[in-house]
Amino acid sequence: MLMGKIAELFIILILVSVVLNVSSPFIKFAIKLYSFQSLMLAFYILMGAVHFNSINLYGSFIITIIFKVILIPYFLFKTLKKVKMDKEIDMFIGIPEAVVFAGSLTLLSNLIAQKIIKTGITFGSFVFTISLATFLIGAMLMITRKTLFSQIIGFLTIDNAIFLAANSITHGMPLLVELGVLFDLFVSILILSILILNLRRNIAV
Amino acid sequence: MYELVLALPAIALIVSVFADVLLMSYLQLGISILVFSIVIAIAMSFNSITVFLGGFFFVDYINLVILITVSTLELFVAFYSFGYVRTEIAGGVSKRKFKFYYFWKNLFIFSMMVSILSNNLGIYWTGLEATTLATALLVSFNRTKESFEATWKYVIMCSVGIAIGLFAIVILYFTTSQVYGESLQSLSFINIMQAGAKLDKNFLMLAFLLALVGFGTKVGFAPMHNWLPDAHSQGPSPVSALLSGVLLNTALLGILRFYQINGASGIYYPRYFLIGFGFFTILVSAFSVIKQTDYKRLFAFSSMENMGIIALGFGIGGIAVIGSLLQIFFHALNKGLLFLSSGNVLAATHERRIDKIRNLSKNFPVTALVLLFGVMGISGMPPFAMFLGEIYIMTGVFRSNILLGFLVFILLVFIFIGLFVKILKMYTGNTENEEAGDEFKNSKTAHKGVDESVIHPFMVYVPLILLLLSSLLLFYIPSPFLNIVQSASAEFGGRIIFK
Amino acid sequence: MNFNGQHLIFGTVQFFIIVILAPFFAGFIHKLKQRARGQKGINIFQFYLNFNKLLKKEIVLSKDASFVSNIAPYIVFADYLVILLMMPAFYRYSLLGVSSDVILIAYSLALATFFMTLYAMDQGSAFGGLGASREWFLTVLSEPSLIFVFISLAIYTKHGRITDIFYFVQKGAANAFLSGIHSGAVSIAIPFLLFISLFIVSISENARIPIDNPETHLELTMFHEANILETSGKHLGIYEYGSYLKLTVFLTVMSLILFPYMAVNIYQIPLALIIYVLKMLILCILIAGVEIVNPKMRVFRVPNVLSVSFILSLIAMILSIRGF
């Protein structure tokens, strides 16, 4: 049970890092927060691996760390340095409003999760609520920020949320599939970095 | 034999890294012909669902329809690329750039084959995402500002959509892992269909909805269609043809798989969602077609509309399913010929706007003719093959709900008018210009003095052959193909058992 | 009412200990900051000597001041004393524990701010108005977080009084650790969120560096200091002691969230006292650390941080309503 509570702590830290992401206009900080968030996700997977003692989850833990905590932030930092984008970003709604909106999205995801639980689907409802909230806040990040990097970070956050939800319902996807998914994600980040190098400015979605 | 369908594009992929571009174009021709003949051989001798490569891949009737579509279109596009490469190189583009064109194109075809043929839903997902990435750099091939923005929108929107599709697969995995345990077996489509009624209905419905929205982004359903006109118009023409013709169908295959799974476990109301999205897509594209000023965007919206019609057909069920399956094949041919011939116009005149192109018939006789008749074909007029597909679908729609049938019919008429009026203007080039004197003629028509000899003959005649093929198919469809289509529709209605 | 002599005696003892220790903790933070800057640092007990010195000095009021200026400092001081009377720092039965409703505590803090700013405006100088408006700016942004923190605690433990709340958490935590069985009342996530939220609010309310720097005398950067810039003598002494008491209130609540250990009878009191002082010192080190590391934030950035604290407490409230 103690393990369960510690796992809860990791999950909550993911949500905290997303909210901090919304509250800060700095891109470097956002990438670091993404790396932290993926680390928390990896630890959550590790707890699951220790609890259920499955090789699948151990492997998933390792590849999550390699791809999401180390490689992808590294590439994003490199691209950021090359592009020399302004550190502060312009946005459609101000930061306190965005943070409060993120809070209301959490409320909304809570309501949705409760509705889903009522229909008899009972998976780890705490983790599902948090993952849905992370998904919505990540989508909000994509929509309300004007820099291209924020769209990438928002997309990566959405992907993390889906991974979190996947790991909460099942005992991890088969390793082959997860490897494919992460590899695809990595290649898409590479391609997006190339596109950023060619675009080099803010576009409004 | 089945493995060759996957292996050949992989070989082409590897070779394209090393070979010179002109040599590569010959090789591409050869490999496409080989793949096409293998697929025809498979189609002729196909009588039951076959699994290969360790249970990860399989061929069933619906797969086979799309496989035939892909290989046919790829054959013609390979011929067209042959000419396209030579024309562009003669026009001053570097050879190195085209090397990477062939690399990405072969990666695209390979991952599409992997996606279409896959039994395992996780591999399907990986292949689909890989196609997004492979086409991304192809769409931005011209390196203009618009093409980069189009690529950005394309990658971000499709990746988010496909991520939602991943969530759908996860939920499905959760359900099936309760029957098959947690392994790769519970993602295998054949196993899932066999488990049918044992799966939890709530979850299946949720998974279908998520897949509909997620993969639907990649198909181009409205309101998730914003990337489609930009991405399909900014890429080089053979790429646009492939994107419109087959990639949208590959994404649709995912939705159809989820639909089949739902059907196998007795849930029948997903069809209303499919009908709803299909109808909404037709509606949005009908109203968007009227306002377009770029002819490639026009055709992209037409692709969107046809996807809507196909989805509508699958949703209605019954006889409309046969229409949709036929429509998948015929639309690929027809849209291919439209994009290829408009690519000719673009390659010769470098002009994208409709109102700047007039009097095509004078300088580009073959291309203009193909464009005109192609537009007639894509709207479903006889004597072109899409007439058959649309008749079946409309029959199904009218049988189920007359009001819906009338609405769809009116929307189709809108689209026909929109397309036809603009293309007719391009074709004839009458009115104000010629009365105003010589200087106006120079400024209004962008291609004075340019004619078809600028472009390679392959580029000119391939669309013509496609057009003739499309017309021929209305009157005579090879019976193996008909059998396949009928079996596919039976399978879709759930009457073929997976063993 | 449970009139227990033992509770009365030890409650009074607890109250006096906390009140007397208040300047010590503030001095400790100050000394840490100065040490980090490389200065030798003031004596830890310097603030007691300051208080003593100020009490003997003459009060100078502006000629526009009304009767409010005579009574406001005492009201503020008394208010903080009342709040501390309710606090169960290390003994479960504080003197006013029966009426220590959490909302009452939150509003008492606001009452103290009200009178302080009333005093500031009463002086009739420009600084007074400036300080008052800035003080309320901060309070308005941080008070929702504070209230949500308290409400989350109340909903989560289903008790209204602060003594009962933390006793409930203490029992639940003890159960979980000793027997290892799932007791359902202890969650790590919610106290964690509450702690972060309350920490940010403490920094804002107690005029600590990322948000406010009381050592500065530039009018552009003053928040809290502008209110008491013109006070002198006894009033200044009382205000300063009041700010130490406010710091103690916040630190005590945070220490209770961190690890509640309240003595129930006489034998547990020494241990509880030691643990309490230890927790407070740790929190002081934490606050000093935050002050040392961060430069003062631009005023426009302040709502960003406070909104994060608000949302975190909102999330904690959502979770506690859900019943995790």
Side-chain angles (χ1 to χ4, degrees):
Chain A
M1 203 53 221
L2 184 64
M3 300 265 268
K5 297 302 180 186
I6 295 184
E8 244 180 60
L9 185 66
F10 290 137
I11 304 293
I12 259 305
L13 276 173
I14 292 182
L15 186 59
V16 168
S17 70
V18 172
V19 172
L20 277 177
N21 209 338
V22 176
S23 82
S24 147
F26 298 105
I27 300 183
K28 257 198 192 168
F29 186 53
I31 302 180
K32 283 189 207 156
L33 277 176
Y34 170 70
S35 181
F36 175 69
Q37 189 182 349
S38 310
L39 191 66
M40 291 295 113
L41 182 64
F43 280 150
Y44 177 69
I45 298 179
L46 184 64
M47 304 225 71
V50 167
H51 188 90
F52 297 115
N53 214 1
S54 89
I55 292 286
N56 240 352
L57 287 179
Y58 279 113
S60 167
F61 166 69
I62 293 182
I63 57 177
T64 306
I65 295 240
I66 293 180
F67 276 113
K68 287 193 178 174
V69 179
I70 302 179
L71 277 183
I72 289 184
Y74 172 66
F75 271 105
L76 285 176
F77 274 124
K78 256 177 64 173
T79 316
L80 188 62
K81 212 170 13 175
K82 271 194 216 160
V83 175
K84 283 195 266 287
M85 218 173 245
D86 297 322
K87 289 188 225 79
E88 293 193 11
I89 48 189
D90 202 7
M91 43 196 101
F92 287 108
I93 59 181
I95 290 186
E97 291 89 346
V99 176
V100 171
F101 190 59
S104 58
L105 283 177
T106 315
L107 201 57
L108 183 72
S109 77
N110 183 37
L111 291 173
I112 296 179
Q114 277 188 318
K115 279 263 163 67
I116 291 190
I117 288 179
K118 269 204 205 114
T119 69
I121 303 178
T122 53
F123 29 99
S125 59
F126 175 66
V127 187
F128 183 66
T129 317
I130 301 290
S131 77
L132 194 57
T134 312
F135 181 89
L136 289 174
I137 300 181
M140 188 195 83
L141 265 179
M142 277 181 79
I143 300 175
T144 59
R145 299 277 174 97
K146 285 191 190 162
T147 341
L148 301 175
F149 274 103
S150 301
Q151 293 190 0
I152 296 188
I153 300 269
F155 167 58
L156 288 173
T157 310
I158 289 181
D159 195 73
N160 259 353
I162 292 182
F163 248 74
L164 185 62
N167 271 304
S168 76
I169 340 176
T170 69
H171 300 159
M173 301 273 286
L175 201 57
L176 184 64
V177 174
E178 268 199 34
L179 204 58
V181 170
L182 278 178
F183 191 67
D184 266 338
L185 188 70
F186 180 59
V187 174
S188 71
I189 295 295
L190 284 180
I191 291 189
L192 287 173
S193 309
I194 296 179
L195 286 178
I196 285 191
L197 285 174
N198 286 311
L199 275 172
R200 271 176 214 265
R201 71 182 82 86
N202 306 339
I203 55 172
V205 174
Chain B
M1 183 164 66
Y2 294 94
E3 292 84 351
L4 275 180
V5 177
L6 281 178
L8 282 175
I11 294 178
L13 179 66
I14 299 176
V15 170
S16 70
V17 176
F18 304 111
D20 169 56
V21 176
L22 296 176
L23 175 65
M24 189 61 215
S25 53
Y26 284 105
L27 276 176
Q28 184 79 12
L29 275 185
I31 291 191
S32 317
I33 295 178
L34 267 179
V35 171
F36 180 68
S37 18
I38 293 179
V39 169
I40 296 291
I42 295 179
M44 297 282 204
S45 64
F46 194 73
N47 51 9
S48 69
I49 296 163
T50 327
V51 175
F52 60 101
L53 263 190
F56 281 120
F57 297 99
F58 80 132
V59 182
D60 68 345
Y61 294 100
I62 302 184
N63 261 349
L64 199 51
V65 172
I66 302 190
L67 197 60
I68 296 176
T69 312
V70 173
S71 47
T72 317
L73 196 61
E74 164 63 11
L75 180 67
F76 286 104
V77 167
F79 273 100
Y80 185 87
S81 302
F82 187 85
Y84 180 73
V85 165
R86 279 167 181 68
T87 310
E88 292 283 320
I89 289 182
V93 181
S94 78
K95 273 192 184 185
R96 240 195 57 192
K97 203 166 157 200
F98 272 101
K99 194 153 89 151
F100 108 82
Y101 165 82
Y102 270 114
F103 173 70
W104 290 111
K105 189 150 93 79
N106 280 317
L107 183 62
F108 171 40
I109 302 274
F110 175 63
S111 41
M112 211 162 34
M113 293 290 191
V114 163
S115 241
I116 296 175
L117 293 173
S118 72
N119 184 14
N120 187 323
L121 283 174
I123 297 199
Y124 170 78
W125 188 92
T126 311
L128 201 60
E129 175 81 11
T131 61
T132 309
L133 302 175
T135 48
L137 287 175
L138 281 177
V139 168
S140 66
F141 193 69
N142 300 327
R143 305 199 139 234
T144 66
K145 172 170 171 291
E146 291 85 7
S147 64
F148 279 124
E149 286 189 14
T151 314
W152 180 267
K153 236 199 286 194
Y154 173 50
V155 174
I156 290 268
M157 280 187 79
C158 285
S159 297
V160 172
I162 295 186
I164 299 179
L166 180 65
F167 194 40
I169 293 181
V170 164
I171 293 186
L172 188 67
Y173 177 66
F174 170 60
T175 329
T176 57
S177 67
Q178 288 168 344
V179 174
Y180 283 106
E182 298 216 348
S183 66
L184 282 167
Q185 292 306 315
S186 43
L187 275 179
S188 149
F189 180 69
I190 294 185
N191 288 346
I192 299 177
M193 288 295 280
Q194 284 177 315
K198 298 186 222 159
L199 304 171
D200 186 338
K201 297 205 188 333
N202 282 327
F203 277 117
L204 281 188
M205 184 69 185
L206 184 64
F208 174 74
L209 285 176
L210 283 169
L212 185 59
V213 171
F215 293 132
T217 312
K218 189 120 173 79
V219 175
F221 287 147
M224 294 104 50
H225 66 284
N226 289 310
W227 58 274
L228 210 152
D230 295 328
H232 284 200
S233 62
Q234 295 296 326
S237 316
V239 172
S240 300
L242 278 177
L243 280 178
S244 280
V246 284
L247 189 53
L248 304 181
N249 291 319
T250 312
L252 190 63
L253 182 65
I255 301 180
L256 291 178
R257 292 299 186 207
F258 275 90
Y259 187 76
Q260 271 184 295
I261 295 175
N262 271 4
S265 82
I267 307 174
Y268 290 109
Y269 46 93
R271 56 189 292 242
Y272 297 114
F273 289 101
L274 208 51
I275 296 177
F277 267 102
F279 180 69
F280 190 55
T281 308
I282 304 178
L283 186 72
V284 169
S285 63
F287 286 121
S288 311
V289 155
I290 304 180
K291 297 185 342 177
Q292 294 309 313
T293 54
D294 175 341
Y295 51 87
K296 283 183 90 169
R297 277 178 76 99
L298 196 67
F299 295 144
F301 273 109
S302 159
S303 293
M304 198 176 118
E305 168 224 345
N306 278 301
M307 279 299 131
I309 295 177
I310 295 176
L312 188 68
F314 276 121
I316 298 280
I319 195 174
V321 174
I322 297 187
S324 287
L325 288 165
L326 288 175
Q327 187 86 334
I328 288 181
F329 183 45
F330 297 148
H331 170 246
L333 293 182
N334 225 318
K335 191 45 65 66
L337 81 91
L338 273 181
F339 269 116
L340 294 180
S341 54
S342 65
N344 288 345
V345 175
L346 186 65
T349 65
H350 298 288
E351 180 57 59
R352 283 173 180 264
R353 294 175 57 96
I354 295 180
D355 48 5
K356 291 283 177 59
I357 298 193
R358 290 283 178 264
N359 211 359
L360 270 181
S361 58
K362 196 162 73 147
N363 289 338
F364 296 86
V366 180
T367 307
L369 193 77
V370 169
L371 259 184
L372 190 67
F373 282 112
V375 167
M376 282 169 60
I378 201 102
S379 318
M381 281 174 72
F384 299 106
M386 279 179 65
F387 175 65
L388 197 61
E390 298 212 5
I391 278 288
Y392 275 120
I393 295 180
M394 291 307 289
T395 310
V397 174
F398 270 112
R399 267 194 203 166
S400 69
N401 186 348
I402 297 192
L403 179 64
L404 184 68
F406 268 120
L407 283 174
V408 173
F409 185 66
I410 292 178
L411 288 174
L412 288 181
V413 168
F414 263 14
I415 295 176
F416 170 65
I417 295 176
L419 281 174
F420 199 65
V421 162
K422 295 189 198 294
I423 300 297
L424 198 58
K425 271 199 218 155
M426 277 169 65
Y427 184 78
T428 56
N430 39 13
T431 70
E432 324 94 65
N433 321 356
E434 307 203 316
E435 297 164 2
D438 273 2
E439 32 326 346
F440 276 115
K441 236 201 217 163
N442 277 335
S443 60
K444 285 285 187 180
T445 62
H447 54 274
K448 191 159 168 57
V450 175
D451 67 349
E452 262 175 4
S453 60
V454 169
I455 45 189
H456 193 272
F458 270 12
M459 283 170 78
V460 175
Y461 289 108
V462 163
L464 182 63
I465 298 180
L466 270 177
L467 184 71
L468 291 175
L469 182 64
S470 162
S471 153
L472 185 66
L473 277 175
L474 178 64
F475 300 106
Y476 171 68
I477 302 181
S479 52
F481 187 63
L482 262 182
N483 285 337
I484 293 174
V485 167
Q486 279 176 335
S487 313
S489 75
E491 174 189 338
F492 201 69
R495 268 171 276 150
I496 289 195
I497 320 275
F498 286 80
K499 277 186 284 294
Chain C
M1 192 176 85
N2 196 0
F3 190 77
N4 194 335
Q6 202 180 40
H7 292 178
L8 201 57
I9 297 177
F10 289 118
T12 320
V13 167
Q14 173 186 251
F15 173 63
F16 274 111
I17 291 184
I18 306 181
V19 169
I20 291 179
L21 276 182
F24 167 69
F25 291 127
F28 184 66
I29 296 182
H30 204 79
K31 175 139 184 143
L32 279 179
K33 284 199 314 194
Q34 289 182 317
R35 268 305 170 96
R37 290 183 209 153
Q39 302 164 331
K40 193 164 150 207
I42 56 172
N43 188 356
I44 301 184
F45 301 101
Q46 180 67 32
F47 286 165
Y48 293 102
L49 303 173
N50 279 350
F51 184 58
N52 212 5
K53 172 181 75 170
L54 281 171
L55 277 183
K56 298 182 194 139
K57 291 202 171 176
E58 173 196 358
I59 302 176
V60 177
L61 291 177
S62 99
K63 56 179 176 18
D64 301 313
S66 66
F67 72 97
V68 173
S69 299
N70 290 329
I71 59 172
Y74 303 104
I75 294 184
V76 170
F77 190 64
D79 191 35
Y80 286 132
L81 285 181
V82 163
I83 298 180
L84 278 180
L85 275 172
M86 300 186 211
M87 277 290 157
F90 53 89
Y91 184 62
R92 179 175 172 358
Y93 302 100
S94 51
L95 279 180
L96 282 182
V98 221
S99 48
S100 64
D101 192 65
V102 283
I103 309 283
L104 183 63
I105 294 181
Y107 276 96
S108 305
L109 289 168
L111 185 76
T113 313
F114 175 67
F115 272 103
M116 178 161 68
T117 51
L118 203 60
Y119 178 92
M121 288 197 290
D122 196 45
Q123 303 303 306
S125 77
F127 271 118
L130 180 82
S133 74
R134 285 199 180 158
E135 178 79 22
W136 277 113
F137 166 66
L138 276 185
T139 308
V140 159
L141 288 177
S142 56
E143 185 159 332
S145 312
L146 193 63
I147 294 188
F148 271 179
V149 165
F150 282 139
I151 292 183
S152 310
L153 280 173
I155 293 180
Y156 176 58
T157 54
K158 298 185 186 45
H159 285 118
R161 304 192 199 117
I162 204 168
T163 48
D164 297 337
I165 289 177
F166 287 116
Y167 189 60
F168 184 84
V169 178
Q170 177 185 334
K171 270 195 311 185
N175 271 344
F177 276 121
L178 290 178
S179 51
I181 310 174
H182 152 66
S183 73
V186 181
S187 143
I188 296 192
I190 296 178
F192 181 71
L193 283 177
L194 292 176
F195 182 75
I196 299 182
S197 186
L198 199 55
F199 191 76
I200 298 179
V201 169
S202 311
I203 292 186
S204 133
E205 292 269 344
N206 291 305
R208 299 282 140 198
I209 281 204
I211 297 186
D212 179 14
N213 187 1
E215 296 173 31
T216 176
H217 290 285
L218 303 172
E219 65 214 41
L220 280 180
T221 56
M222 285 195 256
F223 279 86
H224 191 86
E225 182 72 10
N227 292 321
I228 53 179
L229 194 64
E230 311 216 318
T231 56
S232 52
K234 219 195 285 191
H235 288 175
L236 183 59
I238 291 182
Y239 272 129
E240 288 208 351
Y241 206 94
S243 72
Y244 307 146
L245 289 178
K246 188 173 181 180
L247 182 65
T248 311
V249 168
F250 275 99
L251 287 182
T252 309
V253 178
M254 277 204 289
S255 73
L256 285 173
I257 292 181
L258 200 57
F259 184 70
Y261 187 75
M262 294 182 281
V264 186
N265 53 31
I266 183 174
Y267 305 109
Q268 300 174 337
I269 284 190
L271 181 62
L273 182 58
I274 293 177
I275 292 183
Y276 170 68
V277 172
L278 217 57
K279 285 188 293 184
M280 294 291 271
L281 288 180
I282 292 178
L283 285 173
C284 290
I285 295 177
L286 212 55
I287 289 190
V290 168
E291 286 204 74
I292 293 168
V293 168
N294 291 315
K296 179 164 166 8
M297 233 188 295
R298 293 184 57 188
V299 177
F300 296 120
R301 294 270 165 74
V302 169
N304 298 351
V305 180
L306 289 175
S307 60
V308 171
S309 111
F310 174 61
I311 290 303
L312 290 181
S313 60
L314 176 70
I315 294 175
M317 192 170 82
I318 295 175
L319 290 178
S320 54
I321 292 180
R322 281 290 294 281
F324 287 116

